Amino acid sequence: MNEQPNLSYVHELSGGDHDFEKNFLRIVKRELPLDAERFRENIAAENFKEAAANVHKLKHKISILGLEDSHRLAQEYELQLREGVNKLENSFLEILDAMMNYLEKIQT
């Protein structure tokens, strides 16, 4: 993964309201591990339709963290999963790991 998570979108969305940013990031930090775990469970069970729904939900968080290329990969992966194809799992897991590592490092 070449691109790095960032808070550009969050800063733009907040209009400089630091309390909003903190609260917003707390929500993302709380939800991301849960959403990622649901995805992992569905992939392990080869429940690709549900995994596609998980990817769809995770795409929003990918966008929030400014990962444009990763968002495109997630879109492709979602479509593949809907067709029962699981070729991009490792790449998607890299994205999730990068996001979680990034969020662990930022203070809220």
Side-chain angles (χ1 to χ4, degrees):
M1 185 170 118
N2 295 333
E3 63 185 343
Q4 296 300 313
N6 62 76
L7 297 178
S8 297
Y9 176 76
V10 175
H11 295 316
E12 182 181 323
L13 185 65
S14 76
D17 184 338
H18 296 292
D19 288 333
F20 172 85
E21 289 177 12
K22 287 181 182 181
N23 289 329
F24 189 78
L25 288 170
R26 278 189 201 118
I27 292 167
V28 174
K29 287 174 87 169
R30 183 180 63 237
E31 289 181 356
L32 180 62
L34 300 172
D35 293 342
E37 182 59 29
R38 285 186 203 106
F39 164 76
R40 285 183 170 97
E41 289 169 358
N42 283 317
I43 284 296
E46 296 186 4
N47 187 349
F48 296 143
K49 298 272 189 222
E50 283 300 315
N54 301 136
V55 171
H56 181 79
K57 186 173 182 181
L58 285 158
K59 284 190 313 188
H60 300 291
K61 291 174 180 68
I62 292 169
S63 291
I64 287 168
L65 293 179
L67 300 170
E68 294 176 17
D69 293 337
S70 297
H71 187 270
R72 282 188 284 281
L73 183 136
Q75 285 178 310
E76 183 179 339
Y77 188 37
E78 179 185 356
L79 294 173
Q80 286 183 5
L81 287 170
R82 290 190 190 285
E83 298 297 321
V85 176
N86 185 23
K87 291 184 179 179
L88 295 173
E89 177 180 352
N90 290 335
S91 296
F92 190 73
L93 288 172
E94 279 183 37
I95 294 165
L96 292 180
D97 289 343
M99 291 169 57
M100 287 197 279
N101 289 336
Y102 179 74
L103 288 173
E104 285 175 9
K105 294 175 185 175
I106 59 175
Q107 301 293 318
T108 55

